[in-house]
């Protein structure tokens, strides 16, 4: 199964991807995560994308497509993939259609007016990649999953969130119609609880 998780920043793609990846045994490929790892390790790629990521804008298309193409060529993608955060625009989507087209696209549909709250309350674990919201875990500093320190992503600030949302609306939202036209889009209400959203995804995946 070749799957894409589509949705605005903060729609819960990362959280749902972790569950889907485990249940369906699909490699979870998050381009944002790959970029963050490279920044942490200060690789040449990380150095190249850091400034643009800090502003909330998209990393260069060619570089991102190349990265995904290489990742999809790995043996663990032989039986499918779960893409989270890619494609982010029509250019990337048509490039993916050439490389290895998806079977289904799940769009996590959320109330965009709640995004700022969803993102600025987010706490992330750099060790296990867990992502939580202070509404649910309170103001704790340690990861409920692995006990490591929780941090706030550098691009999870109010100003950067505004830019990320603008980028989403202009560049990424048109993908909804793109995949609808291909008959691959499934809408899931992302404003429900984590469990309810996951149950709905399982239902549509069959
Ligand atoms: P995410 O973790 O998906 O929220 O992505 C965080 C940031 O990584 C984005 O705001 C972009 O700067 C960059 N990024 C992630 N995925 C892509 C992509 N497919 N194309 C371009 N930039 C991306």
């Amino acid at each position: 199964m070749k799957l894409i998780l589509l949705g605005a920043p903060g729609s819960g793609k990362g959280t749902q991807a972790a569950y889907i990846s485990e249940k369906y045994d699909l490699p979870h490929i998050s381009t944002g995560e790959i970029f963050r790892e490279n920044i942490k390790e200060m690789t040449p790629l990380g150095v190249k994308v850091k400034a643009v990521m800090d502003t909330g804008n998209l990393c260069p298309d060619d570089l991102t497509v190349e990265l995904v193409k290489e990742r999809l060529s790995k043996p663990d993608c032989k039986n499918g993939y779960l893409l989270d955060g890619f494609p982010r625009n029509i250019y990337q989507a048509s490039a993916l259609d050439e490389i290895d087209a998806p079977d289904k696209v799940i769009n996590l549909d959320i109330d965009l007016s709640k995004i700022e709250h969803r993102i600025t309350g987010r706490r992330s674990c750099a060790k296990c990649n867990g992502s939580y919201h202070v509404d649910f875990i309170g103001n704790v500093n340690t990861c409920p999953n692995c006990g490591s320190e929780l941090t706030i992503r550098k691009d999870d600030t109010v100003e950067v969130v505004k830019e990320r949302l603008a980028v989403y609306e202009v560049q990424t939202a048109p993908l909804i119609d793109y995949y609808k036209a291909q008959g691959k889009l499934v809408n899931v209400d992302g404003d429900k609880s984590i469990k309810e959203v996951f149950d709905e995804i399982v239902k549509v995946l069959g």
Side-chain angles (χ1 to χ4, degrees), residues 50 53-54 152-157 160 164:
K50 185 180 181 329
M53 268 182 85
D54 285 349
I152 299 176
R153 258 172 60 174
K154 204 145 186 265
D155 57 351
D156 277 355
T157 60
V160 181
R164 288 165 67 196

Side-chain angles (χ1 to χ4, degrees), residues 31-32 36 53 57-59 64 85-86 88 92 153 164:
T31 39
R36 278 187 290 280
M53 268 182 85
N57 282 295
L58 296 184
C59 301
T64 310
F86 182 94
R88 275 300 225 276
Q92 294 182 6
R153 258 172 60 174
R164 288 165 67 196

Side-chain angles (χ1 to χ4, degrees), residues 48 56 69 86 123 132 144 157:
K48 211 181 265 178
K69 188 174 178 183
F86 182 94
R123 300 292 178 266
Y132 311 92
T157 60

